Each structure stands twice: as structure tokens, then as C-alpha cells.
Amino acid sequence: MSRMMCELPVKGPCAMQARQLADRIPVLETRRLVLRAPRIEDFRVYADIALSPRGAHLGHATRAEAWYDFSNMVAGWLLRGHGLWTVTARQDGTLLGFIVLGFEPGDEEPELGFMLTEEAEGHGFASEAAEAARAYGFEHMKLPSLVSYIDAGNDRSIALAERIGAFADGTLAYSGDPAPSIIYRHPKPEVA
């Protein structure tokens, strides 16, 4: 699939400005992963996931729709103080996927979202990244609540949410969606 002009890396003063802004986004490190600020070149992998059967539940039909979604989640950092992280392997920097603490139109609470590449599946990376983002959201961002809105047929995401301790807590119907999403509530950690 050919790239759009908006996907091309920027140069000069614009590149420096983008790096300075990205440096303000928190970097989370786990035993095997680094969650870092998204870069424009990360969009290729984002689009590959979003436009594949793995991303069917996102509802993107075109690369442009995926770009607008990616841009919206990155913009969350400026507008809400939380947003999209790119998940990479700590050992070699391989891009594994994306984790988001987001708030999209129609959401009633901040959302923990996750999407990884097919190659990253089955290694526990999604759980490790989601748990790190969730802990950061509760402990450092002081989010009052955190949920994952998951389509009923998205078995991989449901299994992940349950594996990390989230539980089904009702549904949310988005305008234009044929079926409501299941709300998976992430419990706040106990304060000692």
C-alpha cells in the first residue's frame, strides 16, 4: 500500500520541534518492553494492524481513516495529558504494537486500548504493556477510572482484559455501531 504525503518524516526545524514535544511524553520501561512516544514512521505498522483482520474491530476501511485515528490518539497527549504509546522490545527496539490511554468521542470514561502485531502475539507482551500503562494511568496520572471498550466478537482483546484483571461491567452503544461494546473495568490498585 502506498504511503500518503502526511506520513513522510519531517526535516529541519519541524523535526526538532516534534522531537522536543515527544521528549515530554513519559517513557515506560518494563522487564522486556519500552513504551515510548509515537513517531511518524510508526504509522506504517499502525496502519498495517488497523487495516488487517487484527484491526477489524477498529472499523477503518482506508489508510486515511487509520491516519486520522493515529493522529487523534497522538494528539491526546496535548489535549488530555495522555494518549498513544508505541510498544517496542527493550532488547532490540522492534516495534511490537501500541497501547493507549485515550478518551474518544462517545467514551464515558478514560480507556485503556491495545493493539499488537501478529508477530508479537503469544509472548505476553500485550499483558506486560497494558499493565504498565494501567499502573501509570492510576498511579501517576491519577485517572479516576479506567475501562476498555471491547466489541463482543473481539475474543483476543476480551481474553487480554480478563487476563490482566478487568471484568465486564455493562455495555456502551456508540452512535452508528451495530452492537454495543462491552465495558471492561480495570480495578484501581489497593492503596497501602
Side-chain angles (χ1 to χ4, degrees), residues 2-47:
S2 63
R3 295 193 321 178
M4 300 175 293
M5 291 299 291
C6 59
E7 295 178 51
L8 300 177
V10 294
K11 297 179 180 169
C14 290
M16 184 183 311
Q17 178 72 11
R19 276 194 303 277
Q20 289 171 344
L21 290 169
D23 286 346
R24 302 294 308 249
I25 294 174
V27 174
L28 307 183
E29 294 189 26
T30 69
R31 184 175 62 81
R32 300 180 300 160
L33 306 174
V34 175
L35 283 65
R36 60 159 173 81
R39 300 175 186 150
I40 200 165
E41 57 269 19
D42 297 342
F43 175 70
R44 181 189 57 77
V45 174
Y46 188 93

Side-chain angles (χ1 to χ4, degrees), residues 146-180:
L146 198 53
V147 298
S148 294
Y149 299 111
I150 304 174
D151 288 352
N154 191 343
D155 296 335
R156 280 192 296 262
S157 290
I158 289 170
L160 171 59
E162 291 176 350
R163 191 166 45 253
I164 64 173
F167 57 93
D169 188 27
T171 61
L172 176 67
Y174 287 99
S175 176
D177 279 351

Side-chain angles (χ1 to χ4, degrees), residues 9-155:
V10 294
K11 297 179 180 169
C14 290
M16 184 183 311
Q17 178 72 11
R19 276 194 303 277
Q20 289 171 344
L21 290 169
D23 286 346
R24 302 294 308 249
I25 294 174
V27 174
L28 307 183
E29 294 189 26
T30 69
R31 184 175 62 81
R32 300 180 300 160
L33 306 174
V34 175
L35 283 65
R36 60 159 173 81
R39 300 175 186 150
I40 200 165
E41 57 269 19
D42 297 342
F43 175 70
R44 181 189 57 77
V45 174
Y46 188 93
D48 288 348
I49 297 169
L51 298 175
S52 75
R54 299 183 71 70
H57 298 285
L58 298 172
H60 304 311
T62 68
R63 194 169 186 89
E65 288 173 351
W67 172 258
Y68 286 121
D69 192 52
F70 178 80
S71 299
N72 178 54
M73 287 194 239
V74 173
W77 288 110
L78 291 174
L79 301 174
R80 300 197 62 85
H82 52 75
L84 187 71
W85 278 286
T86 296
V87 179
T88 62
R90 191 172 185 161
Q91 182 178 6
D92 62 7
T94 300
L95 198 157
L96 303 170
F98 303 90
I99 295 289
V100 64
L101 293 178
F103 208 101
E104 298 177 277
D107 288 356
E108 294 179 349
E109 300 174 74
E111 178 180 14
L112 172 63
F114 23 80
M115 57 188 262
L116 271 69
T117 64
E118 186 174 355
E119 299 78 21
E121 189 173 318
H123 303 282
F125 296 139
S127 297
E128 192 171 326
E131 287 173 334
R134 179 177 64 190
Y136 193 84
F138 281 136
E139 295 167 22
H140 297 281
M141 295 178 169
K142 305 298 185 204
L143 295 175
S145 63
L146 198 53
V147 298
S148 294
Y149 299 111
I150 304 174
D151 288 352
N154 191 343
D155 296 335

